[in-house]
Amino acid sequence: MKKLLASLFAVALLVGCGTATSEGTPATTETETTTTEASGDAKTYNVGVAIYQFDDNFMTLYRNEIESYFKTLETDAVKYNVTIVDGKNDMAEQSNQIDNFITQGMDVIILNLVQTSSADAIIDKVVGAGIPLVLINREPLGEDGDESYKGILDNPTVCYVGADARQSGTFQGEIIAELPDKGDLNGDGKVSYIMIEGDPENIDAQYRTTYSIKALEEAIAVECLDDQVGNWAQAKGQEITANALSQYGDKIEVVFCNNDAMALGAAAAITAAGRKVGENIYLVGVDALDECQEMVKNGEMTGTVLNDHIGQSHTAVDVAVKALNGEAMDNYYWVDYVKVTK
Ligand code: GAL
């Protein structure tokens, strides 16, 4: 099974236009927050939560839910002193934040890595300090693909909580493949698309890019007109789509976005270019942000895929609490995606 996953992964990385380029880092607007007052007689646990970047629509929902879910678990006897810090998409900054968490004597750390390539260095520090570590959202991949990262397998106090991005990509491709015209608006027998990718180091971006097209290709031939990196950001999604629409015009039948923030930008560019989703272009994203669910309902987006921030944040917190109670944790915890269409 592991071998199969590894070869699927290798194939996956070969698919796509291969023209993606990395762009700048979005600005950050928020700073550190500390929540939940410690109280007199209760046992208070210190929880450090490090988020890769506060300026990210999906991770904002996720971190807010971590904070509020911890609150709901408090009793007269147990309190959680939760400190959430903004890595500002800067690995050096996040590494310092982890050092601070260790110095501050956190009882557990929940970590959304800036760069998964730094996973080992961070795991070593945190395990060395004897603190349980729950990795979230950005999965460090082992040599055999998913569920094989040595730093996780070898350390009983380290785990990963996430969603399998292959599933979200497949759902995106299926949303288009299941349309009456399979996305082929001009009836030339193939679907011409543009792809807007998240951070290229991120496995979510790689898998969504690959598996969306793989699923669509099972139904119809495809042609990639453009493939660009939008770093999960709405403004980049808008800029890339606007440029592609002016370069390729009516040739573009589908805009695939690795997330909804970029799809929101794409939708604005589509409207500005006088095109209409559902009539002469299709648009899909991932996350199912509230505004995108509304747009799917109104026909302004063809579909999206629910990235269950509630399921993921609650699982991460439940696992952290297990660790605080001295219970064993599994290596990996998975939460399903859900297809969202009209
Ligand atoms: C993805 C999500 C994106 C972005 C990214 C950050 O799972 O779909 O919107 O938040 O995580 O790593």
Side-chain angles (χ1 to χ4, degrees), residues 44 95 104 197 252 276 296 336:
T44 299
S95 185
Q104 289 158 10
E197 297 190 29
I252 302 178
K276 205 160 183 321
V296 171
D336 270 334

mmCIF file of all heavy atoms in Angstrom, residues 44 95 104 197 252 276 296 336:
data_model
loop_
_atom_site.group_PDB
_atom_site.id
_atom_site.type_symbol
_atom_site.label_atom_id
_atom_site.label_comp_id
_atom_site.label_asym_id
_atom_site.label_seq_id
_atom_site.Cartn_x
_atom_site.Cartn_y
_atom_site.Cartn_z
ATOM 1 N N THR A 44 -4.314 24.514 35.602
ATOM 2 C CA THR A 44 -4.232 25.255 34.335
ATOM 3 C C THR A 44 -3.133 24.672 33.453
ATOM 4 O O THR A 44 -1.989 24.539 33.880
ATOM 5 C CB THR A 44 -3.932 26.748 34.602
ATOM 6 O OG1 THR A 44 -5.001 27.277 35.376
ATOM 7 C CG2 THR A 44 -3.826 27.519 33.303
ATOM 8 N N SER A 95 10.347 29.515 14.222
ATOM 9 C CA SER A 95 11.297 28.742 15.009
ATOM 10 C C SER A 95 11.571 29.446 16.349
ATOM 11 O O SER A 95 11.624 28.813 17.412
ATOM 12 C CB SER A 95 12.572 28.577 14.177
ATOM 13 O OG SER A 95 13.447 27.754 14.836
ATOM 14 N N GLN A 104 8.818 29.090 27.891
ATOM 15 C CA GLN A 104 7.641 29.421 28.716
ATOM 16 C C GLN A 104 7.039 28.186 29.388
ATOM 17 O O GLN A 104 6.113 28.296 30.181
ATOM 18 C CB GLN A 104 6.561 30.093 27.856
ATOM 19 C CG GLN A 104 6.911 31.509 27.405
ATOM 20 C CD GLN A 104 6.123 31.953 26.161
ATOM 21 O OE1 GLN A 104 5.193 31.283 25.743
ATOM 22 N NE2 GLN A 104 6.516 33.074 25.576
ATOM 23 N N GLU A 197 -2.455 27.947 -8.100
ATOM 24 C CA GLU A 197 -1.934 27.099 -7.015
ATOM 25 C C GLU A 197 -1.669 27.883 -5.730
ATOM 26 O O GLU A 197 -1.314 29.060 -5.765
ATOM 27 C CB GLU A 197 -0.609 26.462 -7.444
ATOM 28 C CG GLU A 197 -0.738 25.523 -8.623
ATOM 29 C CD GLU A 197 0.540 24.732 -8.866
ATOM 30 O OE1 GLU A 197 1.280 24.467 -7.894
ATOM 31 O OE2 GLU A 197 0.799 24.396 -10.024
ATOM 32 N N ILE A 252 -10.571 29.968 -22.246
ATOM 33 C CA ILE A 252 -10.618 29.436 -20.870
ATOM 34 C C ILE A 252 -12.035 28.968 -20.542
ATOM 35 O O ILE A 252 -12.972 29.756 -20.533
ATOM 36 C CB ILE A 252 -10.179 30.489 -19.827
ATOM 37 C CG1 ILE A 252 -8.765 30.980 -20.130
ATOM 38 C CG2 ILE A 252 -10.262 29.907 -18.408
ATOM 39 C CD1 ILE A 252 -8.268 32.065 -19.185
ATOM 40 N N LYS A 276 -19.478 35.069 -17.327
ATOM 41 C CA LYS A 276 -20.477 34.671 -16.329
ATOM 42 C C LYS A 276 -20.325 33.189 -15.989
ATOM 43 O O LYS A 276 -20.431 32.326 -16.876
ATOM 44 C CB LYS A 276 -21.883 34.961 -16.869
ATOM 45 C CG LYS A 276 -22.875 35.148 -15.757
ATOM 46 C CD LYS A 276 -24.116 35.892 -16.235
ATOM 47 C CE LYS A 276 -25.119 36.181 -15.127
ATOM 48 N NZ LYS A 276 -25.337 35.190 -14.134
ATOM 49 N N VAL A 296 -21.849 29.550 -4.514
ATOM 50 C CA VAL A 296 -22.229 28.284 -5.172
ATOM 51 C C VAL A 296 -23.752 28.241 -5.283
ATOM 52 O O VAL A 296 -24.308 27.911 -6.336
ATOM 53 C CB VAL A 296 -21.687 27.065 -4.394
ATOM 54 C CG1 VAL A 296 -22.258 25.765 -4.951
ATOM 55 C CG2 VAL A 296 -20.161 27.035 -4.441
ATOM 56 N N ASP A 336 -12.427 14.063 6.814
ATOM 57 C CA ASP A 336 -12.856 14.029 5.406
ATOM 58 C C ASP A 336 -13.194 15.400 4.832
ATOM 59 O O ASP A 336 -13.677 16.281 5.538
ATOM 60 C CB ASP A 336 -14.110 13.160 5.263
ATOM 61 C CG ASP A 336 -13.749 11.710 4.993
ATOM 62 O OD1 ASP A 336 -12.654 11.458 4.450
ATOM 63 O OD2 ASP A 336 -14.566 10.835 5.324
#
